[in-house]
mmCIF file of all heavy atoms in Angstrom:
data_model
loop_
_atom_site.group_PDB
_atom_site.id
_atom_site.type_symbol
_atom_site.label_atom_id
_atom_site.label_comp_id
_atom_site.label_asym_id
_atom_site.label_seq_id
_atom_site.Cartn_x
_atom_site.Cartn_y
_atom_site.Cartn_z
ATOM 1 N N VAL A 179 -18.842 3.793 -4.740
ATOM 2 C CA VAL A 179 -18.304 3.526 -6.073
ATOM 3 C C VAL A 179 -19.389 3.603 -7.122
ATOM 4 O O VAL A 179 -19.045 3.607 -8.338
ATOM 5 C CB VAL A 179 -17.652 2.110 -6.142
ATOM 6 C CG1 VAL A 179 -16.354 2.079 -5.356
ATOM 7 C CG2 VAL A 179 -18.616 1.016 -5.725
ATOM 8 N N ASP A 180 -20.621 3.759 -6.731
ATOM 9 C CA ASP A 180 -21.716 3.888 -7.694
ATOM 10 C C ASP A 180 -22.017 5.317 -7.989
ATOM 11 O O ASP A 180 -22.893 5.697 -8.707
ATOM 12 C CB ASP A 180 -22.967 3.180 -7.201
ATOM 13 C CG ASP A 180 -23.427 3.710 -5.803
ATOM 14 O OD1 ASP A 180 -22.597 4.188 -5.024
ATOM 15 O OD2 ASP A 180 -24.648 3.582 -5.507
ATOM 16 N N CYS A 181 -21.224 6.227 -7.376
ATOM 17 C CA CYS A 181 -21.368 7.643 -7.592
ATOM 18 C C CYS A 181 -20.136 8.191 -8.294
ATOM 19 O O CYS A 181 -19.017 7.961 -7.880
ATOM 20 C CB CYS A 181 -21.555 8.400 -6.322
ATOM 21 S SG CYS A 181 -22.830 7.746 -5.187
ATOM 22 N N CYS A 182 -20.338 8.994 -9.311
ATOM 23 C CA CYS A 182 -19.212 9.639 -10.012
ATOM 24 C C CYS A 182 -19.160 11.119 -9.668
ATOM 25 O O CYS A 182 -20.144 11.904 -10.011
ATOM 26 C CB CYS A 182 -19.298 9.446 -11.533
ATOM 27 S SG CYS A 182 -17.988 10.345 -12.396
ATOM 28 N N THR A 183 -18.170 11.479 -8.947
ATOM 29 C CA THR A 183 -18.031 12.942 -8.631
ATOM 30 C C THR A 183 -16.631 13.335 -8.918
ATOM 31 O O THR A 183 -15.662 12.660 -8.564
ATOM 32 C CB THR A 183 -18.331 13.226 -7.113
ATOM 33 O OG1 THR A 183 -17.481 12.427 -6.324
ATOM 34 C CG2 THR A 183 -19.830 12.965 -6.786
ATOM 35 N N PRO A 184 -16.459 14.456 -9.650
ATOM 36 C CA PRO A 184 -17.494 15.311 -10.228
ATOM 37 C C PRO A 184 -18.203 14.613 -11.420
ATOM 38 O O PRO A 184 -17.597 13.766 -12.053
ATOM 39 C CB PRO A 184 -16.726 16.538 -10.730
ATOM 40 C CG PRO A 184 -15.337 16.007 -11.057
ATOM 41 C CD PRO A 184 -15.087 14.945 -9.989
ATOM 42 N N THR A 185 -19.433 15.010 -11.609
ATOM 43 C CA THR A 185 -20.227 14.371 -12.708
ATOM 44 C C THR A 185 -19.581 14.604 -14.077
ATOM 45 O O THR A 185 -19.890 13.850 -15.002
ATOM 46 C CB THR A 185 -21.679 14.879 -12.651
ATOM 47 O OG1 THR A 185 -21.645 16.316 -12.730
ATOM 48 C CG2 THR A 185 -22.376 14.481 -11.382
ATOM 49 N N THR A 186 -18.796 15.656 -14.215
ATOM 50 C CA THR A 186 -18.159 15.942 -15.500
ATOM 51 C C THR A 186 -17.129 14.822 -15.872
ATOM 52 O O THR A 186 -16.738 14.757 -17.028
ATOM 53 C CB THR A 186 -17.421 17.240 -15.448
ATOM 54 O OG1 THR A 186 -16.627 17.366 -14.319
ATOM 55 C CG2 THR A 186 -18.455 18.429 -15.431
ATOM 56 N N ASN A 187 -16.789 14.019 -14.924
ATOM 57 C CA ASN A 187 -15.888 12.880 -15.187
ATOM 58 C C ASN A 187 -16.598 11.575 -15.468
ATOM 59 O O ASN A 187 -15.943 10.526 -15.454
ATOM 60 C CB ASN A 187 -14.901 12.749 -14.021
ATOM 61 C CG ASN A 187 -13.651 13.500 -14.212
ATOM 62 O OD1 ASN A 187 -13.339 14.014 -15.266
ATOM 63 N ND2 ASN A 187 -12.835 13.641 -13.158
ATOM 64 N N GLN A 188 -17.858 11.615 -15.689
ATOM 65 C CA GLN A 188 -18.652 10.450 -15.940
ATOM 66 C C GLN A 188 -18.129 9.606 -17.114
ATOM 67 O O GLN A 188 -18.030 8.330 -17.040
ATOM 68 C CB GLN A 188 -20.142 10.737 -16.206
ATOM 69 C CG GLN A 188 -21.028 9.528 -16.261
ATOM 70 C CD GLN A 188 -21.151 8.748 -14.963
ATOM 71 O OE1 GLN A 188 -21.452 9.289 -13.911
ATOM 72 N NE2 GLN A 188 -20.898 7.406 -15.012
ATOM 73 N N GLY A 189 -17.732 10.259 -18.130
ATOM 74 C CA GLY A 189 -17.203 9.561 -19.305
ATOM 75 C C GLY A 189 -15.894 8.814 -18.975
ATOM 76 O O GLY A 189 -15.699 7.657 -19.395
ATOM 77 N N LEU A 190 -15.034 9.472 -18.222
ATOM 78 C CA LEU A 190 -13.753 8.861 -17.770
ATOM 79 C C LEU A 190 -14.022 7.703 -16.835
ATOM 80 O O LEU A 190 -13.412 6.636 -16.952
ATOM 81 C CB LEU A 190 -12.892 9.875 -17.143
ATOM 82 C CG LEU A 190 -11.493 9.403 -16.604
ATOM 83 C CD1 LEU A 190 -10.674 8.681 -17.683
ATOM 84 C CD2 LEU A 190 -10.723 10.591 -16.017
ATOM 85 N N TYR A 191 -14.982 7.918 -15.906
ATOM 86 C CA TYR A 191 -15.407 6.868 -14.975
ATOM 87 C C TYR A 191 -15.846 5.611 -15.723
ATOM 88 O O TYR A 191 -15.414 4.489 -15.438
ATOM 89 C CB TYR A 191 -16.545 7.378 -14.124
ATOM 90 C CG TYR A 191 -17.234 6.453 -13.222
ATOM 91 C CD1 TYR A 191 -16.957 6.402 -11.822
ATOM 92 C CD2 TYR A 191 -18.245 5.555 -13.679
ATOM 93 C CE1 TYR A 191 -17.631 5.516 -10.976
ATOM 94 C CE2 TYR A 191 -18.906 4.683 -12.820
ATOM 95 C CZ TYR A 191 -18.596 4.691 -11.456
ATOM 96 O OH TYR A 191 -19.215 3.839 -10.651
ATOM 97 N N ASP A 192 -16.650 5.804 -16.777
ATOM 98 C CA ASP A 192 -17.168 4.677 -17.532
ATOM 99 C C ASP A 192 -16.028 3.952 -18.296
ATOM 100 O O ASP A 192 -15.983 2.742 -18.399
ATOM 101 C CB ASP A 192 -18.215 5.102 -18.568
ATOM 102 C CG ASP A 192 -19.504 5.585 -17.896
ATOM 103 O OD1 ASP A 192 -19.739 5.158 -16.750
ATOM 104 O OD2 ASP A 192 -20.238 6.397 -18.476
ATOM 105 N N LYS A 193 -15.088 4.736 -18.815
ATOM 106 C CA LYS A 193 -13.938 4.156 -19.533
ATOM 107 C C LYS A 193 -13.095 3.255 -18.624
ATOM 108 O O LYS A 193 -12.593 2.228 -19.045
ATOM 109 C CB LYS A 193 -13.080 5.284 -20.128
ATOM 110 C CG LYS A 193 -13.626 5.972 -21.376
ATOM 111 C CD LYS A 193 -12.654 7.020 -21.845
ATOM 112 C CE LYS A 193 -13.242 7.813 -23.018
ATOM 113 N NZ LYS A 193 -12.326 8.858 -23.485
ATOM 114 N N ILE A 194 -12.901 3.697 -17.370
ATOM 115 C CA ILE A 194 -12.127 2.952 -16.431
ATOM 116 C C ILE A 194 -12.732 1.604 -16.121
ATOM 117 O O ILE A 194 -12.085 0.548 -16.182
ATOM 118 C CB ILE A 194 -11.888 3.756 -15.124
ATOM 119 C CG1 ILE A 194 -10.990 5.001 -15.453
ATOM 120 C CG2 ILE A 194 -11.263 2.884 -14.010
ATOM 121 C CD1 ILE A 194 -10.856 5.922 -14.245
ATOM 122 N N ILE A 195 -14.038 1.585 -15.781
ATOM 123 C CA ILE A 195 -14.686 0.338 -15.367
ATOM 124 C C ILE A 195 -14.929 -0.581 -16.555
ATOM 125 O O ILE A 195 -15.038 -1.821 -16.396
ATOM 126 C CB ILE A 195 -15.991 0.589 -14.640
ATOM 127 C CG1 ILE A 195 -17.055 1.311 -15.517
ATOM 128 C CG2 ILE A 195 -15.758 1.316 -13.348
ATOM 129 C CD1 ILE A 195 -18.375 1.459 -14.847
ATOM 130 N N LYS A 196 -14.930 -0.019 -17.819
ATOM 131 C CA LYS A 196 -15.192 -0.850 -18.972
ATOM 132 C C LYS A 196 -13.879 -1.280 -19.597
ATOM 133 O O LYS A 196 -13.840 -2.110 -20.542
ATOM 134 C CB LYS A 196 -16.024 -0.103 -19.989
ATOM 135 C CG LYS A 196 -17.436 0.107 -19.542
ATOM 136 C CD LYS A 196 -18.253 0.922 -20.545
ATOM 137 C CE LYS A 196 -19.678 1.183 -20.023
ATOM 138 N NZ LYS A 196 -20.412 2.024 -21.015
ATOM 139 N N GLY A 197 -12.743 -0.674 -19.149
ATOM 140 C CA GLY A 197 -11.446 -0.932 -19.765
ATOM 141 C C GLY A 197 -10.487 -1.569 -18.794
ATOM 142 O O GLY A 197 -10.829 -2.482 -18.053
#
Side-chain angles (χ1 to χ4, degrees):
V179 293
D180 56 334
C181 308
C182 177
T183 55
T185 55
T186 50
N187 267 346
Q188 185 66 54
L190 178 56
Y191 173 100
D192 292 337
K193 286 180 182 178
I194 292 173
I195 62 175
K196 293 176 182 178

